[in-house]
Amino acid sequence: MSSERPMSLTVAGECMVTRPFAVHNEPEFDEVLARLRSAELTYAHVETNFGHFSEVEAPARGDQVGSYFLTDPQVAADLRAAGVDLASLANNHSMDFGSKGVHATIRHCDAVGITHAGTGRDLEEAREPKYRETRQGRVALISVTSGNKSHEWASQPKASLPGRAGVNPLRPIMRYLVDQQAAEQLKAIGGSLGILRETKAGAEGSSGLLMNAEPGEFSLAMPTDQSTTGSNLWRPSDHFEVLSSCNKWDLAGNLRSVGEAATMADLVIVAHHFSVSEGPRGNTPPKFVQEFAHACIDEGADIFIGHGWHKTLGIEIYRGKPIIYGLGNFFAQSEFVRRVPYDAFETWGHDIERLPTLTPATHPLHPGLNQGNETWWSSAVLDVELEGGQLSSIRLHPVECGRKVGKEVDIRRPVGHGEQPLTDGRPFTAHGEDAERILERYQRLSAEFGTTVQIEGESGLIKV
């Protein structure tokens, strides 16, 4: 149950951190780290794996446009020295280097004293709450991820078969609503191609495509998706919309963990990493994320923290508890991955016949970080205060990661001398127009949930 005593938590964003940073001491950087260190309790989302290359084997994925994260374990020590007490580890990069990468990350977090959740040797370990004893009381963290592929999901052991190491998943079910005319056209196209699947049609190759289907829904059995369950469900409607909902088994299992934590801890934090969306990554979280957030609060969670789109989203106050839908990046250093596997060079269209001549400095190798992505290089550190089990206030302290906040994303702290400038990526206190833009975005998006963010100089305040 929620504690009646005052509780405080400082929340930092997504840490795509790939370089040791304890050596730096710029005032704007020190100010950010001092905020973390001085907090009673600090949480951050770690979006990398910790380990030496000798600890892991070949990369475990091949067809994903994105970085492959493996970071010097010294960085884990730097994060702990910076004040990070709790870290969620479940995300779409958790299995970049397979089960050995998962085990190495867990081992190095344990070694430096960071309490972590979201990955494990099997599903029970990945899903269970992890507890930390503090002067404020006992704190529980549950970490969940959506958007991973099936081989990344942790599984339960069965008889003599061990469970699979991996992440704690919350699988979304996507439904595509189209008007009646479009539905008939899709059926006609699917029928002509031989890929239409309807309930009780008995077509070969259906596998589990219709396992989650409701009456009147149909699926298109794309040749590469025929061994998946419910990869696309189409529903005739009077309008066009993408609807997402939670897989019922994953929802129930995670809510059991929330219920356990609510019984055994004074403060319950749920962290949800979602790399999927209902279309382009806009400014509104997917419906299944909102469904999950509300269900977690209903079950006893005190704070729900969302991340995965690498952008700040709005803050909702639900039943007196904060739901932070999008943290944004706290460290943005994906450009500095030391070793890049074959798969990344192939994905980005490089001549793999010249593989020995390609290096981590080759461009491009990472998502378009400087192409008008005004939210990639900024976020805020949030000081959350609860009293009597209810939110009292949230103070927002904006940070920037080395580029100007805005569509131009002009570089402020370059690294190296290449034609494509690399960005330092560490969080500095944001000032002036940067701070204003970060806070105004929080203000605008939070207002859509009925939450008022007051801008007071270069910080923001939510007061309940």
Side-chain angles (χ1 to χ4, degrees), residues 146-403:
S146 300
N148 296 68
K149 296 187 177 181
S150 57
H151 70 276
E152 299 174 305
W153 306 332
S155 71
Q156 297 281 27
K158 176 63 175 174
S160 60
L161 291 175
R164 181 175 56 247
V167 300
N168 172 25
L170 177 69
R171 293 165 285 181
I173 298 173
M174 294 288 183
R175 287 184 163 83
Y176 305 93
L177 276 61
V178 295
D179 67 20
Q180 195 65 43
Q181 180 181 3
E184 294 304 321
Q185 290 173 335
L186 281 169
K187 285 186 177 183
I189 293 170
S192 298
L193 294 174
I195 61 173
L196 176 65
R197 299 293 182 266
E198 296 182 276
T199 306
K200 299 181 180 178
E204 292 185 20
S206 296
S207 297
L209 287 173
L210 296 169
M211 287 184 64
N212 296 310
E214 296 180 356
E217 294 181 339
F218 62 94
S219 184
L220 300 179
M222 301 302 180
T224 56
D225 280 349
Q226 291 187 34
S227 294
T228 62
T229 55
S231 59
N232 62 83
L233 292 172
W234 300 86
R235 176 189 295 178
S237 179
D238 58 358
H239 66 289
F240 289 83
E241 186 180 3
V242 180
L243 286 179
S244 65
S245 59
C246 300
N247 174 285
K248 64 179 181 179
W249 303 112
D250 292 347
L251 178 62
N254 278 293
L255 290 181
R256 281 196 298 273
S257 292
V258 175
E260 174 198 325
T263 299
M264 301 183 72
D266 300 302
L267 180 71
V268 179
I269 306 162
V270 177
H272 183 196
H273 191 88
F274 49 95
S275 59
V276 292
S277 59
E278 297 159 337
R281 290 182 180 179
N283 293 324
T284 304
K287 297 174 184 64
F288 83 96
V289 174
Q290 297 180 57
E291 173 193 356
F292 182 51
H294 287 188
C296 286
I297 300 296
D298 291 340
E299 196 66 27
D302 296 294
I303 304 173
F304 184 95
I305 301 171
H307 35 71
W309 284 4
H310 302 287
K311 62 196 308 182
T312 52
L313 298 174
I315 298 172
E316 178 182 8
I317 312 303
Y318 174 71
R319 297 184 61 180
K321 306 295 177 70
I323 298 175
I324 306 163
Y325 280 112
L327 289 181
N329 289 334
F330 188 59
F331 279 86
Q333 296 181 331
S334 59
E335 295 172 307
F336 299 99
V337 173
R338 274 189 55 209
R339 293 184 182 172
V340 179
Y342 164 95
D343 309 276
F345 292 108
E346 182 186 49
T347 296
W348 288 99
H350 296 292
D351 182 0
I352 56 175
E353 298 300 323
R354 298 177 53 243
L355 191 62
T357 71
L358 302 175
T359 75
T362 305
H363 180 83
L365 277 179
H366 306 288
L369 306 184
N370 58 351
Q371 299 176 7
N373 193 338
E374 60 184 301
T375 60
W376 187 272
W377 302 102
S378 62
S379 65
V381 175
L382 282 62
D383 293 332
V384 182
E385 302 284 342
L386 296 101
E387 190 154 352
Q390 299 287 293
L391 178 68
S392 173
S393 67
I394 301 176
R395 176 70 69 173
L396 298 88
H397 305 278
V399 299
E400 50 88 3
C401 296
R403 285 183 180 265

Side-chain angles (χ1 to χ4, degrees), residues 61-80:
R61 61 175 172 85
D63 62 344
Q64 183 175 340
V65 177
S67 302
Y68 292 71
F69 285 121
L70 188 65
T71 296
D72 186 333
Q74 176 59 46
V75 175
D78 286 0
L79 283 173
R80 183 70 191 101

Side-chain angles (χ1 to χ4, degrees), residues 118-135:
T119 61
R121 287 165 290 190
D122 58 24
L123 181 59
E124 185 172 359
E125 184 176 63
R127 182 167 284 171
E128 68 184 359
K130 297 300 172 62
Y131 298 95
R132 189 176 186 94
E133 304 297 334
T134 77
R135 288 176 295 185

